[in-house]
Amino acid sequence: MKLLHYNILIMNRNLFFRSICILLGFSLPGHLLLAQTNYMEQNFSGGGPFVNANPDAGQFSHLITTNAASSKFEFGPGYMDMTRLVATNGGLVRAVRAVPFSPNPETLYIQITFSVMEISVADLNAVYFYSGENFSGTNSTFPPNTNLFSRFTIDFLASSFVVHDIQTNKKSSPLPLQTPVTITWVLNNSSDGHIYRKPESSANPDYKVMPKKYDLWVNETLLVDEADAYPGSSAYSINKLSNFEIRFWTGVGRVRFGSLRIRDITGILPLRLVYLDVKRDNGKAMISWQTERQNGTDLFVVKKSKNKMFYEIIDSVSAETGGDHIYSIYDHEPFYGTNYYKVEQVDQYGNLIDSKEFIFSLETETEPFIFPNPSSRHLIRINTGGTSFDFLKIYDIHGQEIDFKADLNNDMIEIKPCKTMLSEIYILSFVQNGKVAFLRFLVE
């Protein structure tokens, strides 16, 4: 997703989002940059071998032709050709990395430079590109959706070709033959959002990809923006980015690969919330959270709900600069009963980066308290904590007793003053379990 500047309205305030100030190659406050992992890199300039049952970072685990008479690999200085000679029973040409990448990747940044050199018979989905798990080098049936994180294809046209994303059915503009094209495939199987540079020489990381999403670039054009991975709604797997395959299976022609690089998304630390807690504080709910790697974060939006369906915004808090931080705000009027609190981490362009939820209930409290505090001039609520109250009285700061009517509803007492109360501090006096107790509260 391209991170574009715009203004949003939250809590009746216009918030203009600040630009990112993160530079690749420099230390970030409180953190070291993550080392990049190269899982596979090959430009075919050497003499090989390009395949090995126990592959290194420059090798496939399998190079397969299912009909040697009509499909083949050819290698030359700086290229690998995959060719099909006939349309019917022409066989498959497969370049597979079935041995899992190590260490297991949570993100991948795949770049493939290739040219379609010639097309004799046009066909849709002529060449497949797969990322997933449990790929087989011996069984050439199509991998099921349950094994895939994502896939895209090349469609052969009469005298050109297009890049075709299967999940979104988006296609590139027709691309000319014998002209190099670079595909950049950005895949995120982690639990964190990641931001990245495109092109890599950019001063700022202007794009992001969220968990279980992927971006697909054709040269410098973003063809697919944060598409859903896991085709067919297959189950999450931590190993979903461990295998890779190129499969030429239909049409007639020749595809020349000049370079392939598979690495993780790095240089920018992931963005995430690591902790959220809600505690009672004299009838209010104190919401606290901690961040880690909050680079690129502009603010936090705090919401609550009675049913996890409809949320209302309580407040928003501007993010501190860099590093780890702890934040807290008060909900002065929590719902009686169960409260579902959510903290959303938002970048400077209004995009949601991460969120966490916490369930909090006033009903579980055993100590009496007044809520909300401050209270209104016409209604004061008391949570009794499940115990009985006797001899309930209210005094102002001058010792003057306040007349009121009280209604008991389960563990809650509602006090309605006979006259409008002034905006000041009051004392609630009561007997609980045979002991006199006091609570202070403020009327707004």
Side-chain angles (χ1 to χ4, degrees), residues 100-278:
F101 295 127
S102 181
N104 181 62
E106 291 188 331
T107 66
L108 286 180
Y109 193 93
I110 301 175
Q111 290 177 299
I112 309 161
T113 300
F114 68 93
S115 306
V116 177
M117 303 302 291
E118 56 187 82
I119 297 174
S120 300
V121 177
D123 209 341
L124 300 179
N125 302 322
V127 182
Y128 272 86
F129 297 79
Y130 295 115
S131 178
E133 64 178 341
N134 300 323
F135 290 0
S136 173
T138 57
N139 184 345
S140 290
T141 58
F142 278 89
N145 283 344
T146 53
N147 288 2
L148 298 180
F149 184 86
S150 178
R151 78 275 202 225
F152 69 93
T153 67
I154 299 171
D155 291 352
F156 280 4
L157 308 180
S159 58
S160 62
F161 68 98
V162 298
V163 176
H164 177 196
D165 179 63
I166 302 296
Q167 182 71 13
T168 63
N169 201 31
K170 291 184 177 179
K171 298 184 179 184
S172 69
S173 301
L175 299 163
L177 302 182
Q178 301 183 12
T179 302
V181 172
T182 297
I183 298 294
T184 303
W185 201 10
V186 187
L187 309 108
N188 185 1
N189 196 41
S190 76
S191 59
D192 304 311
H194 285 258
I195 52 181
Y196 64 94
R197 289 171 166 82
K198 190 69 176 73
E200 292 181 66
S201 59
S202 297
N204 295 321
D206 291 326
Y207 295 89
K208 77 177 181 70
V209 59
M210 295 302 286
K212 296 184 182 180
K213 304 281 187 179
Y214 66 92
D215 289 356
L216 182 64
W217 294 76
V218 180
N219 294 322
E220 297 307 314
T221 299
L222 181 58
L223 177 64
V224 177
D225 183 5
E226 289 205 285
D228 291 329
Y230 288 83
S233 301
S234 56
Y236 168 79
S237 168
I238 194 173
N239 302 312
K240 217 61 166 190
L241 296 179
S242 59
N243 292 163
F244 173 79
E245 178 177 346
I246 305 170
R247 177 182 297 223
F248 190 177
W249 84 285
T250 190
V252 175
R254 178 163 56 98
V255 183
R256 171 164 293 181
F257 292 89
S259 65
L260 169 66
R261 188 178 185 187
I262 303 175
R263 49 189 161 143
D264 60 359
I265 306 171
T266 193
I268 300 298
L269 293 167
L271 315 163
R272 62 174 179 169
L273 290 161
V274 296
Y275 170 83
L276 172 63
D277 187 34
V278 183

Side-chain angles (χ1 to χ4, degrees), residues 271-310:
L271 315 163
R272 62 174 179 169
L273 290 161
V274 296
Y275 170 83
L276 172 63
D277 187 34
V278 183
K279 294 181 178 178
R280 182 178 67 84
D281 185 356
N282 195 25
K284 297 173 287 190
M286 185 176 72
I287 303 141
S288 303
W289 65 96
Q290 181 180 353
T291 61
E292 181 181 84
R293 307 168 186 170
Q294 66 172 45
N295 303 292
T297 302
D298 189 82
L299 78 160
F300 301 92
V301 180
V302 185
K303 301 178 178 181
K304 70 176 177 180
S305 172
K306 289 182 177 180
N307 53 17
K308 295 191 69 173
M309 295 179 61
F310 303 101

